[in-house]
């Protein structure tokens, strides 16, 4: 339907939309996050839900205590190697469509604890991350910005064709392998299907 | 005010028969000195610290581990010797090897008498098989988790601990990461400005043909 006809109809009190637009509008305005925090970033996440920053404006105030009822996992804080399998397991238990925001330096890369014996170098080695937020910790505004970024991405998704979202692709995995506790480190150290180390710019 | 550590050592020697306790002076200005207690006398000394009416150290505020690896000290010695029939002064380097040990340091306070800290330490026989120390959990209940942490990160075995399991790392983990000779996994992936040790590790990894940990 062209924009002119749409505007003409709405002047007469008839509103039209596409199924895709309605579906995405509904999805993006009721993203229910999973209620879990791992470290200090969780405090900022809590602040973002309270009256001053008010995440409820984006339809995401309903933090669910069960992964079965959640759409969004906010990985807020340091993911230790001991915690990483549980985080992946929680992600696997969430129903599709599901999204991940990696919040803060630790969750995206290990942050100040990178290369430590007990900290994972970013949760994106095991689960697909939609939005990364740098910062130590990121301010609530940064989390809101990540939220809006995620909403924009959901809004722009086509429901058919090769670029359709993962939950509409039958062969796409919705569960990811849970790493095991090895004698010296987690095994495997990464999920090679979704993560590869960044390429070096210069030949060393 | 608590008595001086010198007075405490001599009083312990008179009260507790054949106890092996000595003063460890602290060279730093204002640094607190401490007591070294032999592991076999640890429990006796702890009971004394807690029950003695002049001390009443009822609160174990902190205990932590220290790793002392094997040390090699080099000393240059000059001696006269006959070399090709001519007497010459020859310089030799003597190496003395001091075996390492693990040490656990305890900080005690008295809530009742409002004094402290009294610092005492115990040393294991070596860093390999003889890493046993008496547990202080039966004396101060708060020692339980901190001893588990020291066991986890340093590998000190606390005898008669009620529940000696790893606290921070997973149970199938085999290393003790706070030891000086801990070898971390060589999983460097993207180091834009690699240098020194990191560069050596990356080269070692690249030459072995394995990328990353997977």
């Amino acid at each position: 339907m062209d924009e002119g006809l749409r505007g003409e109809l709405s002047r007469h009190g008839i509103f039209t939309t596409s199924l895709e637009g309605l579906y995405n509008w509904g999805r993006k305005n009721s993203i229910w996050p999973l209620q879990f925090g791992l470290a200090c970033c969780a405090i900022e996440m809590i602040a973002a839900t309270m009256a001053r920053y008010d995440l409820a404006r984006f339809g995401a105030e309903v933090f669910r205590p069960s992964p079965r009822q959640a759409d969004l996992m906010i990985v807020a804080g340091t993911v230790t190697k001991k915690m990483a399998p549980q985080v992946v397991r929680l992600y696997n238990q969430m129903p599709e469509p599901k999204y991940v925001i990696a919040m803060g330096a630790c969750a995206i890369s290990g942050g100040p604890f990178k290369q430590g014996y007990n900290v994972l170098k970013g949760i994106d080695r095991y689960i697909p991350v939609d939005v990364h937020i740098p910062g130590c910790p990121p301010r609530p505004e940064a989390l809101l910005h990540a939220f809006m970024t995620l909403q924009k991405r959901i809004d722009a998704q086509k429901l058919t064709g090769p670029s359709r979202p993962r939950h509409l692709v039958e062969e796409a995995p919705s569960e990811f392998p849970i790493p095991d506790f090895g004698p010296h480190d987690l095994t495997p150290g990464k999920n090679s299907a979704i993560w590869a180390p960044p390429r070096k710019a210069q030949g060393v | 005010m608590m008595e001086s550590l010198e007075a405490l050592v001599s009083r312990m020697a008179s009260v507790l028969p054949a106890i092996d306790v000595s003063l460890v002076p602290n060279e730093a200005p204002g640094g607190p000195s401490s007591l070294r207690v032999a592991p076999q006398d640890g429990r006796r000394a702890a009971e004394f610290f807690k029950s003695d009416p002049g001390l009443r150290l009822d609160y174990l505020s902190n205990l932590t581990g220290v790793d002392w690896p094997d040390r090699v000290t080099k000393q240059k010695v000059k001696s006269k010797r006959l070399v090709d029939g001519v007497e010459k002064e020859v310089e030799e380097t003597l190496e003395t090897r001091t075996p390492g040990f693990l040490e656990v340091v305890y900080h005690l306070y008295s809530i009742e008498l409002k004094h402290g800290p009294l610092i005492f330490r115990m040393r294991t026989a070596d860093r390999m098989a003889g890493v046993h120390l008496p547990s202080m959990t039966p004396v101060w209940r708060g020692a339980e988790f901190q001893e588990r942490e020291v066991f986890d990160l340093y590998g000190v075995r606390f005898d008669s601990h009620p529940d000696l399991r790893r606290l921070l790392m997973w149970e199938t983990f085999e290393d003790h990461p706070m030891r000086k000779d801990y070898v971390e996994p060589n999983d460097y992936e993207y180091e834009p400005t690699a240098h020194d040790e990191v560069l050596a590790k990356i080269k070692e990894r690249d030459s072995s043909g394995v990328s990353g940990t997977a």
Side-chain angles (χ1 to χ4, degrees):
Chain A
M1 189 183 289
D2 73 293
E3 283 302 310
L5 180 58
R6 193 193 290 259
E8 182 65 31
L9 281 171
S10 72
R11 256 198 296 285
H12 295 284
I14 300 168
F15 295 99
T16 56
T17 184
S18 63
L19 188 63
E20 185 179 278
L22 192 66
Y23 181 76
N24 284 345
W25 174 80
R27 264 193 321 146
K28 78 166 190 182
N29 286 308
S30 65
I31 305 172
W32 289 1
L34 182 59
Q35 185 178 38
F36 93 115
L38 294 172
C40 29
C41 281
I43 304 298
E44 299 295 300
M45 179 179 76
I46 294 160
T49 65
M50 303 312 289
R52 189 180 180 88
Y53 299 100
D54 200 10
L55 199 62
R57 290 177 293 158
F58 303 92
E61 75 278 20
V62 196
F63 275 67
R64 303 311 296 182
S66 160
R68 300 292 187 202
Q69 302 166 350
D71 308 302
L72 169 68
M73 174 183 251
I74 303 175
V75 185
T78 318
V79 188
T80 57
K81 286 177 182 170
K82 200 174 176 183
M83 195 65 188
Q86 275 71 261
V87 175
V88 179
R89 190 170 281 121
L90 279 174
Y91 179 79
N92 286 348
Q93 288 172 351
M94 285 164 60
E96 291 278 8
K98 53 188 172 185
Y99 311 97
V100 179
I101 291 177
M103 178 180 184
C106 298
I108 66 177
S109 71
F113 312 109
K114 189 183 169 108
Q115 224 60 55
Y117 58 88
N118 60 337
V119 173
L120 189 70
K121 294 187 285 180
I123 191 63
D124 50 3
R125 298 153 185 262
Y126 292 121
I127 55 177
V129 175
D130 295 280
V131 186
H132 297 76
I133 322 173
C136 187
R139 285 191 56 88
E141 290 94 327
L143 183 59
L144 295 185
H145 182 251
F147 226 92
M148 290 156 72
T149 309
L150 183 64
Q151 284 187 325
K152 272 180 204 154
R153 285 179 59 170
I154 292 172
D155 204 29
Q157 274 174 345
K158 296 263 174 269
L159 299 187
T160 50
S163 62
R164 64 191 189 278
R166 194 183 67 226
H167 68 277
L168 296 175
V169 182
E170 213 147 283
E171 54 274 16
S174 69
E175 292 202 0
F176 290 85
I178 295 164
D180 289 321
F181 291 131
H184 307 289
D185 203 354
L186 289 178
T187 48
K190 59 176 181 277
N191 180 355
S192 302
I194 59 167
W195 193 87
R199 294 195 183 205
K200 280 177 193 166
Q202 77 283 17
V204 175
Chain B
M1 273 295 283
M2 217 162 57
E3 64 202 299
S4 73
L5 287 182
E6 289 85 354
L8 181 59
V9 168
S10 57
R11 194 154 70 85
M12 284 175 80
S14 63
V15 175
L16 305 166
I19 192 157
D20 183 1
V21 58
S22 61
L23 186 71
V24 182
N26 192 333
E27 306 294 333
S33 299
S34 55
L35 298 178
R36 186 199 55 76
V37 180
Q40 70 273 14
D41 296 330
R43 273 298 289 279
R44 265 205 306 160
E47 305 275 6
F48 173 78
F49 291 146
K50 196 180 180 187
S51 60
D52 181 72
L55 294 172
R56 301 290 291 153
L57 296 160
D58 46 15
Y59 176 51
L60 173 68
S61 132
N62 175 52
L63 76 89
T64 189
V66 186
D67 181 19
W68 297 95
D70 296 349
R71 266 182 312 156
V72 179
T73 40
K74 286 181 181 169
Q75 201 179 7
K76 284 192 173 163
V77 181
K78 282 182 182 173
S79 58
K80 289 192 173 173
R81 241 193 242 169
L82 282 176
V83 182
D84 302 330
V86 189
E87 194 173 318
K88 272 189 182 173
E89 203 171 36
V90 184
E91 207 175 59
E92 278 181 310
T93 322
L94 283 182
E95 286 191 357
T96 43
R97 181 172 288 273
T98 320
F101 52 86
L102 298 169
E103 188 175 65
V104 179
V105 187
Y106 304 78
H107 287 217
L108 302 174
Y109 288 80
S110 174
I111 303 289
E112 195 179 313
L113 301 180
K114 296 186 171 59
H115 63 207
L118 176 87
I119 305 165
F120 79 100
R121 38 183 91 208
M122 287 194 286
R123 292 170 182 174
T124 62
D126 55 43
R127 300 172 73 253
M128 310 301 289
V131 285
H132 288 265
L133 287 181
S135 169
M136 290 296 139
T137 312
V139 183
W140 295 284
R141 196 65 177 77
E144 182 184 350
F145 268 39
Q146 299 194 48
E147 284 180 342
R148 280 180 62 184
E149 185 179 347
V150 170
F151 162 68
D152 188 353
L153 302 181
Y154 291 91
V156 179
R157 262 99 181 142
F158 292 94
D159 299 329
S160 74
H161 188 283
D163 183 25
L164 194 63
R165 287 177 293 135
R166 282 183 178 274
L167 183 65
L168 300 173
M169 306 305 284
W170 51 90
E171 291 195 12
T172 50
F173 192 71
E174 286 176 2
D175 306 328
H176 300 292
M178 290 292 274
R179 285 203 189 185
K180 299 281 184 196
D181 53 1
Y182 169 66
V183 181
E184 56 178 14
N186 189 353
D187 56 355
Y188 291 91
E189 281 138 356
Y190 177 66
E191 301 297 329
T193 55
H195 52 85
D196 300 345
E197 287 171 25
V198 176
L199 185 62
K201 283 183 180 178
I202 290 174
K203 278 183 180 161
E204 180 198 342
R205 192 216 42 223
D206 287 350
S207 63
S208 65
V210 186
S211 68
T213 48

